[in-house]
Amino acid sequence: MPRPYRDDPDWWKDATVYQIYPRSFRDCDGDGVGDIPGIVSKLDYLADLGIGVIWLSPVYASPMEDNGYDISDYRDIAPEFGTLADIDRLIAEAEKRGIGIVMDLVVNHTSDRHAWFEAARSSRDDPKRDYYVWRDPAPDGGPPNGLRSYFGGPAWKRDEVTGQYYLHLFAAGQPDLNWQNPVLRAEIHAMMNWWLDRGIAGFRMDVIDLIGKDPDREILNNGPRLHDYIREMHRETLAGRNVLTVGETWEATPEMGLLFSGRDRHELSMVFQFRHVTSFWGEAGKWDPKPFDLVTFKRALDDWQRALASDGWNSLFLSNHDLPRAVSKYGDDTRYWRESATLLATVNHLMRGTPYVYQGEEIGMTNAGFTEIGQYRDVETLGLYAERMAAGDDPAGFLRGAAANGRDNARTPVQWTAGPNAGFTTGTPWIGVNANHVAINAEAQIGDDASVLAHYRKLIALRKTHPVIVDGDYRPFLEDDPQLFVFARNLAGTQLVVVANFSGEPAAFETPSELEIAGECLISNHVPRDAVSGTMRLAPWEAFAVLAST
Ligand code: GLC
């Protein structure tokens, strides 16, 4: 099969992306950590699911303080994951199945074990000193200013060798790169080209909206030269190559989304926006979750749909390696597990944009269910726990927040079978396997037409056969309804109507006149429906889509 990304510059609009967090995907050598051969062993499963792209979370050489988001060598692979030969094989084997590999580009920071940082910290005069952000101490000897790390504590660490502080917006082992330095930028471009020449299909760009930071003015996201850097990167690496690029931009507004992804901007294919996620974080951030409400959720997504209606492009995702499991967060992972997992998939895949599936989501994996701090592995959770406990906070309250929103919820091993360690490893897994793997696992769902997996397979296939899903415009209905999520997609004489009852209660849906149609049921997680009309009684978590000519 030819590479999907060779001919059409917009090929990624038709594709479905599958995210792999390699550490937890599949372990082939029994060390309890997933690896690249493990990914190769599951390519047929992924091809069968129908995905066109794999976004691989980092597999580069790393001391793994943040599970690979702390890179010590951009041009080598961590031994626990494999070798460069393994990645070449993965690229080639994926390509045979029509799947492109998108690498994670983590260039806001490196590891403190990167040779650049080791040189930079050795003396104030080192030629690489300026690759990072160094400042003198404040007059009292403390950090230069009050910037805080996302993982707890100050964002500055004093380095004994030279007596200056360096900036780390994440862990102390993740020093921030200084993008104001043109030599550093050229190094990054060369590294990107080295990977692109290896045949990858693009990059997911880690916290890319931080690279324009101005730490002295405490400006982090959306700094003054952010778009200059991205356009320069495009010119130097991406231009003329038909690749997918997706930027992680926690603070982006819909207007910024258009700047990043607009047709003539020459920046990125799309970004991940997080408003539908952070709307449910409280005063103290994600550790203090707010109750879900559908109207806020729809408004966040609809605003992005509207802003990128005729230019720019959306990414569509409900979960990733930093977020809780979608079915646990937005659905009901006990009583209506199957119904709510399939409803969420239906809504997510049928909006306008490129859908992303996070590993295990396609079989309805749920949150980890950890109850003790000793079960967590994540540097963020452990760092903030230490900080909060030192401040005298209540451990039970913190653990409640972590159980709801901690990143390890999405990092338990993929549940392949009902057997020992869910078929993930023959060794001891690096993080606990969810006990519910005896019921929720891929093996039990393969071949079952009513499974969550079958529902994902169907949605992914529909995208390839119905242009209205890719190219149709998007129009929301009943925007203030707290129970129903309803939208229509229209393209050249076809209308697709999507109706979802986002709740565990039955619902009455009064069809708005514009949505009255009779046609074909494209997908449903309850009884098939081939018309939308009159007053419809919906079952709890029922979702369906009807396609008709207009
Ligand atoms: C991004 C990654 C996250 C990582 C952080 C620092 O948010 O998704 O996993 O910890 O950046 O690289």
Side-chain angles (χ1 to χ4, degrees):
M1 208 181 278
R3 266 189 212 163
Y5 44 93
R6 274 276 162 78
D7 337 308
D8 173 7
D10 286 347
W11 61 271
W12 34 263
K13 292 188 175 174
D14 302 356
T16 301
V17 183
Y18 186 92
Q19 182 193 352
I20 291 185
Y21 195 68
R23 211 175 178 73
S24 306
F25 187 68
R26 165 102 173 98
D27 173 26
C28 266
D29 62 5
D31 66 354
V33 173
D35 45 40
I36 299 170
I39 300 172
V40 174
S41 77
K42 293 294 180 188
L43 282 174
D44 287 333
Y45 167 86
L46 296 175
D48 187 54
L49 183 58
I51 56 121
V53 178
I54 292 171
W55 149 27
L56 202 56
S57 276
V59 290
Y60 313 92
S62 163
M64 300 288 166
E65 192 175 343
D66 187 16
N67 292 349
Y69 283 92
D70 48 325
I71 297 171
S72 55
D73 186 348
Y74 289 108
R75 301 186 195 215
D76 205 356
I77 302 295
E80 54 266 66
F81 292 148
T83 61
L84 281 172
D86 288 327
I87 199 98
D88 287 342
R89 189 161 147 256
L90 173 63
I91 294 170
E93 288 295 321
E95 184 176 327
K96 279 189 204 157
R97 293 163 177 84
I99 297 173
I101 302 289
V102 162
M103 296 290 277
D104 217 308
L105 183 76
V106 188
V107 292
N108 173 67
H109 45 266
T110 66
S111 160
D112 62 352
R113 317 274 178 83
H114 195 290
W116 296 343
F117 190 73
E118 286 178 346
R121 80 177 348 165
S122 68
S123 107
R124 292 193 187 207
D125 305 323
D126 188 89
K128 298 221 166 20
R129 180 75 170 179
D130 189 48
Y131 279 24
Y132 294 87
V133 183
W134 299 94
R135 294 291 182 271
D136 286 329
D140 67 354
N145 64 25
L147 279 177
R148 306 288 297 169
S149 153
Y150 293 112
F151 291 167
W156 297 98
K157 184 171 175 188
R158 186 168 181 277
D159 197 52
E160 296 307 323
V161 187
T162 57
Q164 281 191 312
Y165 281 81
Y166 67 86
L167 179 72
H168 63 89
L169 293 177
F170 294 91
Q174 293 169 297
D176 276 62
L177 287 165
N178 174 21
W179 275 75
Q180 293 173 14
N181 181 332
V183 184
L184 177 266
R185 298 203 300 276
E187 290 253 28
I188 301 286
H189 302 153
M191 175 275 284
M192 290 173 69
N193 283 322
W194 186 84
W195 277 105
L196 288 163
D197 292 342
R198 266 192 133 82
I200 62 166
F203 290 109
R204 174 266 185 186
M205 302 186 181
D206 192 62
V207 290
I208 201 68
D209 61 347
L210 293 177
I211 65 173
K213 68 192 143 271
D214 180 345
D216 302 315
R217 292 196 287 155
E218 304 200 13
I219 297 174
L220 299 180
N221 311 88
N222 206 31
R225 293 184 62 198
L226 172 62
H227 291 280
D228 293 343
Y229 296 151
I230 297 180
R231 291 161 76 113
E232 177 190 59
M233 174 192 278
H234 186 280
R235 224 171 29 245
E236 297 297 324
T237 68
L238 308 168
R241 309 193 196 238
N242 289 342
V243 293
L244 179 163
T245 50
V246 52
E248 185 199 25
T249 56
W250 281 86
E251 303 289 330
T253 61
E255 295 67 38
M256 292 178 203
L258 199 51
L259 295 180
F260 286 119
S261 69
R263 206 175 288 118
D264 299 325
R265 295 277 308 167
H266 306 296
E267 296 196 14
L268 305 174
S269 314
M270 61 193 117
V271 294
F272 292 128
Q273 65 87 18
F274 289 88
R275 215 174 101 205
H276 59 307
V277 173
T278 54
S279 295
F280 304 105
W281 291 3
E283 290 287 298
K286 68 163 124 176
W287 311 96
D288 171 26
K290 288 202 252 181
F292 178 78
D293 90 86
L294 183 65
V295 173
T296 304
F297 183 75
K298 288 190 291 189
R299 189 173 306 132
L301 296 172
D302 289 351
D303 283 353
W304 275 81
Q305 290 284 320
R306 267 191 213 101
L308 307 187
S310 55
D311 190 15
W313 192 249
N314 269 295
S315 67
L316 308 171
F317 74 100
L318 297 175
S319 54
N320 67 29
H321 66 293
D322 294 329
L323 303 176
R325 288 286 181 180
V327 66
S328 301
K329 183 76 196 171
Y330 307 110
D332 175 344
D333 63 6
T334 51
R335 180 142 182 235
Y336 292 110
W337 166 76
R338 189 193 65 82
E339 293 82 350
S340 60
T342 48
L343 172 142
L344 292 167
T346 306
V347 168
N348 193 50
H349 284 243
L350 297 180
M351 287 188 285
R352 184 177 158 92
T354 297
Y356 287 72
V357 180
Y358 176 65
Q359 66 182 29
E361 179 191 322
E362 78 281 11
I363 55 168
M365 278 181 62
T366 65
N367 276 353
F370 292 163
T371 51
E372 291 164 23
I373 194 68
Q375 293 174 292
Y376 288 93
R377 299 285 176 270
D378 179 21
V379 59
E380 178 187 53
T381 305
L382 299 177
L384 284 155
Y385 180 79
E387 186 178 65
R388 297 290 164 84
M389 294 312 107
D393 279 11
D394 164 33
F398 183 87
L399 286 173
R400 265 196 307 279
N405 277 340
R407 306 195 301 179
D408 281 338
N409 280 309
R411 299 179 179 184
T412 61
V414 172
Q415 296 164 201
W416 296 107
T417 71
N421 293 325
F424 162 69
T425 181
T426 55
T428 306
W430 69 278
I431 188 170
V433 173
N434 194 315
N436 68 16
H437 71 274
V438 292
I440 301 177
N441 63 75
E443 194 173 58
Q445 295 187 29
I446 292 168
D448 173 0
D449 281 350
S451 63
V452 177
L453 180 64
H455 197 86
Y456 270 85
R457 196 186 292 123
K458 196 164 179 191
L459 282 167
I460 294 168
L462 285 171
R463 186 172 187 82
K464 296 178 195 160
T465 41
H466 294 283
V468 66
I469 298 176
V470 178
D471 296 318
D473 64 12
Y474 172 93
R475 188 164 163 213
F477 287 83
L478 312 185
E479 287 158 89
D480 295 323
D481 190 302
Q483 195 181 7
L484 295 170
F485 197 149
V486 179
F487 57 88
R489 307 286 312 278
N490 280 279
L491 182 73
T494 20
Q495 184 174 52
L496 178 69
V497 177
V498 180
V499 179
N501 174 10
F502 234 93
S503 82
E505 304 299 323
F509 169 51
E510 310 287 346
T511 309
S513 58
E514 300 102 306
L515 296 186
E516 294 266 353
I517 53 170
E520 176 195 350
C521 182
L522 274 199
I523 193 152
S524 127
N525 67 355
H526 191 66
V527 290
R529 299 193 185 255
D530 54 17
V532 187
S533 95
T535 303
M536 302 182 78
R537 311 242 160 244
L538 306 185
W541 296 103
E542 178 176 353
F544 62 90
V546 176
L547 181 73
S549 313
T550 49

